[in-house]
Amino acid sequence: MPTPLDTLNASFGLPGTLHFDEAAPGLPVAHITTPLASASIALQGAQVLTWQPTGQQPVLWVSKAAIFEEGKPVRGGVPVCWPWFGAVPGKPMHGFVRTRLWQLRGAELDAPGQVVLRLGIGDDVATHSHWDHAFDLELTVTVGSTLTLALTTRNTGTQAFEITQALHTYLCTTEITQTTVQGLDACHYLDKVQDFAPCQQSGAVTFQSETDRIYTDTTADSLIVDAAGGRNLRIAKQGSASTVVWNPWTDKEKTMADMASGEFHQMLCVETCNAGPDAVSIPAGGAHTLVAIISVE
């Protein structure tokens, strides 16, 4: 009798380009290798774990202490936070879809040689226990010399609903103290380290301590300048009014069982969001798409 992995490989595998294995029992992962790039995507959470354009160093960061278990979030890659971002009392942190198994809906090699995966999840009894709305959520991942993530929320119910959301991107950087983020100058932000105090950015974002900020009302690209590594990463976005910038620094890192000591030096989250006051209302029968386009410059 074929296993779920056999079925995935038979239905969606692309010889020499796309195959599936398990990161742990019950945790299927798609592995992509093309002349343009390599990548891996976990079906739990529709979470892109790795992406490396050919000839470049890895772009996405995953902790050496990350936990690969059914129902557990993975520290790194690009978790999908939905239908809320952050903490809601009595509910799962960052929503419920990042620890659910998504359905693979499609896999193809497009004309430019990119692999396009479509993963989806809909409402059921379990989701209604957290959030009582009818929905269809689909993530389209396009893996090439750039990485494009398009998260489409469809309201399949009869009442409007409101969401916050994020493509919670963990990036590799060579040394956080020599890393800056450009594109947010003069933006207003809520500083979680200061109990969400309202602040305004002046110049590039720099890092000397724990940083956890929701930049609001911004549609600009973010340019991550990795001075020690000699490269820049760009995150362009669509359908997004917020950008979150996060590094836990040393004290916060010590509270995280799924992060190894000192790893904060080599990681930075720059997240494509609609968060804080930038919630999105979707009418019955309506849809919204959040897009992040990641490239190496």
Side-chain angles (χ1 to χ4, degrees), residues 66-101:
I67 297 166
F68 291 89
E69 289 180 18
E70 197 169 349
K72 299 278 189 182
V74 175
R75 177 75 62 193
V78 190
V80 177
C81 304
W82 188 97
W84 57 82
F85 174 82
V88 174
K91 295 185 182 293
M93 183 74 169
H94 288 319
F96 50 80
V97 300
R98 67 183 182 141
T99 56
R100 293 287 302 270
L101 197 63

Side-chain angles (χ1 to χ4, degrees), residues 24-102:
L27 293 182
V29 176
H31 296 279
I32 292 166
T33 305
T34 74
L36 299 176
S38 62
S40 56
I41 299 103
L43 271 59
Q44 177 174 277
Q47 184 168 351
V48 181
L49 297 172
T50 65
W51 172 61
Q52 183 172 1
T54 301
Q56 300 286 344
Q57 293 298 308
V59 174
L60 301 180
W61 176 91
V62 176
S63 173
K64 296 169 187 167
I67 297 166
F68 291 89
E69 289 180 18
E70 197 169 349
K72 299 278 189 182
V74 175
R75 177 75 62 193
V78 190
V80 177
C81 304
W82 188 97
W84 57 82
F85 174 82
V88 174
K91 295 185 182 293
M93 183 74 169
H94 288 319
F96 50 80
V97 300
R98 67 183 182 141
T99 56
R100 293 287 302 270
L101 197 63
W102 293 43

Side-chain angles (χ1 to χ4, degrees), residues 7 25 47 83 101 132 203 289 293:
T7 302
Q47 184 168 351
L101 197 63
D132 197 18
T289 300
I293 306 160

Side-chain angles (χ1 to χ4, degrees), residues 48-254:
V48 181
L49 297 172
T50 65
W51 172 61
Q52 183 172 1
T54 301
Q56 300 286 344
Q57 293 298 308
V59 174
L60 301 180
W61 176 91
V62 176
S63 173
K64 296 169 187 167
I67 297 166
F68 291 89
E69 289 180 18
E70 197 169 349
K72 299 278 189 182
V74 175
R75 177 75 62 193
V78 190
V80 177
C81 304
W82 188 97
W84 57 82
F85 174 82
V88 174
K91 295 185 182 293
M93 183 74 169
H94 288 319
F96 50 80
V97 300
R98 67 183 182 141
T99 56
R100 293 287 302 270
L101 197 63
W102 293 43
Q103 176 190 26
L104 188 58
R105 294 178 174 176
E108 65 177 6
L109 193 63
D110 71 7
Q114 304 174 119
V115 172
V116 182
L117 297 187
R118 291 189 305 109
L119 303 105
I121 190 169
D123 61 290
D124 58 21
V125 171
T127 69
H128 281 271
S129 71
H130 297 298
W131 194 66
D132 197 18
H133 295 285
F135 69 87
D136 181 82
L137 186 64
E138 186 165 280
L139 181 71
T140 301
V141 181
T142 304
V143 176
S145 54
T146 60
L147 176 67
T148 302
L149 307 174
L151 182 68
T152 298
T153 303
R154 296 182 180 90
N155 182 344
T156 58
T158 57
Q159 302 292 325
F161 59 61
E162 190 171 271
I163 60 169
T164 54
Q165 57 182 339
L167 296 166
H168 191 312
T169 308
Y170 288 79
L171 300 167
C172 295
T173 193
T174 307
E175 170 49 55
I176 189 64
T177 60
Q178 298 178 51
T179 301
T180 60
V181 181
Q182 299 178 2
L184 297 169
D185 183 31
C187 287
H188 293 275
Y189 66 89
L190 302 173
D191 190 344
K192 187 176 177 183
V193 176
Q194 300 184 64
D195 197 26
F196 295 100
C199 304
Q200 187 171 16
Q201 183 65 38
S202 178
V205 184
T206 60
F207 303 91
Q208 290 89 30
S209 60
E210 181 185 351
T211 302
D212 196 349
R213 302 171 180 174
I214 301 174
Y215 289 85
T216 58
D217 192 25
T218 175
T219 59
D221 291 9
S222 292
L223 186 69
I224 298 90
V225 180
D226 177 3
R231 75 171 180 180
N232 297 341
L233 304 175
R234 182 176 296 276
I235 303 182
K237 59 182 194 162
Q238 300 162 15
S240 164
S242 334
T243 295
V244 166
V245 178
W246 179 66
N247 181 283
W249 220 253
T250 181
D251 289 344
K252 187 72 173 285
E253 179 188 76
K254 289 173 184 173

